[in-house]
Amino acid sequence: MAAQSKEAVIPPWGLAVAGATGAVLANALVYPLDIVKTRLQVQVKRRPQVGETTTTNDRHYTGTAHAIRSIVQDEGLSGLYAGIAGSLLGVASTNFAYFYWYSVVRTLYLSQRTLAQPPGTAVELSLGAAAGAVAQLFTIPIAVVTTRQQTQPKGEKKGLLDTAREVVDSDDGWTGLWRGMKASLVLVVNPAITYGAYQRLRELIYPGRRALRPHEAFLLGALSKSLATLLTHPLIVAKVGLQSRPPPSRNGVPFRSFVEVLRHIVRTEGLLAIFKGIGPQILKGVLVQGLLMMTKERVELLFVLLFAYVRRVRREELSRLRRVVEEGARRVVPVVEDGARRVVPGLGK
């Protein structure tokens, strides 16, 4: 109910701005982890008996710390921020669309209910999935271009527009900008699980609270995102494989479906490889979601205070206008009455 009352105060665009602001700030702070987890997810497990290159980069990363050190040595500190402009643009647009549509569909659902009880877990997941699907339709091209930028080998780095042209000029044409669409639509269960779990945990741990303290929002965001990541990580790996350059063993032939990506990984690297990169994925997810929800709660509170101030100023302005009108009316009435008294005797003559 606390979440519902706050949503009633803040319009959908306000919730969307709060969500997008929190997402951009959080992702900017932990962006190097995004680079690392993407590089780890696209590289193929090295086999000592095979001399061929098995990764899209010259280096083979053995873990998160090794990947960070290697990227800095090979590409400089800026290598940890490759593609950040496109990534933050994608994060802002995706989260704005997600929180906007989530607010809209949730408000519509609640308006149709006769009971004042909060939605159940299944309903929260469904509402989140619907909002996520709408958001993905409009924002996936940015994700495709950003993934390509993050996995470009040293010496082949390109800007946002040049990378987009590279995708369009490939065999897929313009449809290449929507590569991984099916996997992305399936992955809407990730934010659905995240925010569904967030709402449920909030009601269980902090019942009846209108606003959370920063550390409380961070804790709920971290817990909910960890659960969602563990459940959906194989699909995340498959989506990254679809949107990045194909591994050298494919001889330039791109994957056509996320099922094909998973089959290739299991066949060439083993079953556990579908969880490669899960360490930085969870760490990044926990930090991003915790910071996102912490910032989002603060921004939403600012909106509540802003709208309350605007309403108060509007009431005071209307009250002032009403007093002016009433004062003007009081001045007019005596003049009219006095004029009537002077006119009436004259009519009697």
Side-chain angles (χ1 to χ4, degrees):
M1 290 299 293
Q4 296 175 35
S5 61
K6 189 194 293 185
E7 288 173 15
V9 173
I10 306 176
W13 66 264
L15 293 169
V17 169
T21 301
V24 168
L25 176 61
N27 278 273
L29 291 175
V30 302
Y31 187 77
L33 282 174
D34 196 31
I35 289 280
V36 169
K37 67 93 180 172
T38 301
R39 297 275 183 95
L40 288 173
Q41 288 167 355
V42 299
Q43 76 174 5
V44 179
K45 186 177 180 181
R46 184 181 292 279
R47 293 172 290 177
Q49 68 273 22
V50 179
E52 66 180 358
T53 303
T54 56
T55 179
T56 54
N57 290 274
D58 295 334
R59 286 265 202 171
H60 190 92
Y61 309 123
T62 59
T64 302
H66 179 251
I68 292 175
R69 288 196 304 269
S70 300
I71 291 171
V72 172
Q73 289 173 5
D74 296 342
E75 306 168 38
L77 190 61
S78 61
L80 293 174
Y81 294 90
I84 189 172
S87 178
L88 294 185
L89 177 61
V91 162
S93 57
T94 300
N95 281 273
F96 184 92
Y98 178 84
F99 283 107
Y100 180 87
W101 290 111
Y102 180 74
S103 174
V104 169
V105 297
R106 198 170 192 273
T107 301
L108 287 174
Y109 173 79
L110 293 175
S111 66
Q112 303 299 317
R113 288 169 56 90
T114 55
L115 299 177
Q117 296 177 349
T121 302
V123 172
E124 290 284 9
L125 292 176
S126 300
L127 295 176
V134 175
Q136 285 294 330
L137 287 171
F138 296 100
T139 59
I140 194 171
I142 301 175
V144 171
V145 173
T146 300
T147 301
R148 286 291 184 94
Q149 284 187 293
Q150 291 177 339
T151 56
Q152 286 167 343
K154 181 182 177 181
E156 298 183 29
K157 301 295 183 182
K158 298 179 182 178
L160 188 67
L161 293 179
D162 289 335
T163 305
R165 291 193 193 98
E166 177 186 287
V167 175
V168 174
D169 292 339
S170 67
D171 294 339
D172 291 330
W174 284 97
T175 59
L177 292 172
W178 276 267
R179 282 189 64 81
M181 185 67 191
K182 291 180 181 178
S184 295
L185 290 178
V186 174
L187 272 171
V188 298
V189 298
N190 187 293
I193 293 171
T194 300
Y195 296 111
Y198 184 90
Q199 292 288 353
R200 184 60 56 211
L201 289 171
R202 177 173 182 162
E203 292 162 7
L204 291 174
I205 301 175
Y206 307 110
R209 293 276 295 276
R210 271 185 76 93
L212 300 178
R213 297 185 180 93
H215 73 275
E216 294 170 342
F218 185 96
L219 174 64
L220 291 183
L223 289 174
S224 58
K225 190 62 178 180
S226 296
L227 175 62
T229 300
L230 285 171
L231 293 175
T232 61
H233 189 75
L235 290 175
I236 295 172
V237 172
K239 177 186 172 184
V240 172
L242 276 170
Q243 294 178 342
S244 64
R245 292 182 177 184
S249 60
R250 297 276 297 181
N251 297 318
V253 179
F255 293 107
R256 294 298 176 185
S257 69
F258 63 91
V259 174
E260 185 181 0
V261 178
L262 292 176
R263 283 177 180 167
H264 178 82
I265 292 173
V266 172
R267 185 174 63 252
T268 58
E269 305 174 64
L271 184 61
L272 292 180
I274 62 176
F275 288 95
K276 58 185 177 180
I278 193 169
Q281 180 77 52
I282 289 183
L283 180 58
K284 179 226 171 187
V286 165
L287 292 174
V288 166
Q289 198 64 35
L291 291 169
L292 189 159
M293 300 312 296
M294 184 172 67
T295 305
K296 179 175 177 288
E297 289 285 338
R298 296 298 95 187
V299 175
E300 285 181 358
L301 181 59
L302 288 176
F303 271 116
V304 170
L305 295 175
L306 175 63
F307 292 144
Y309 173 76
V310 170
R311 284 194 295 270
R312 190 186 73 182
V313 170
R314 188 177 298 169
R315 284 196 302 269
E316 291 175 352
E317 186 66 20
L318 289 174
S319 178
R320 188 184 67 80
L321 287 173
R322 187 164 54 249
R323 288 196 300 269
V324 170
V325 171
E326 289 173 352
E327 181 66 24
R330 282 195 294 269
R331 291 175 180 174
V332 169
V333 170
V335 173
V336 172
E337 290 177 350
D338 183 61
R341 282 195 296 270
R342 288 198 300 269
V343 169
V344 169
L347 289 175
K349 292 183 180 178

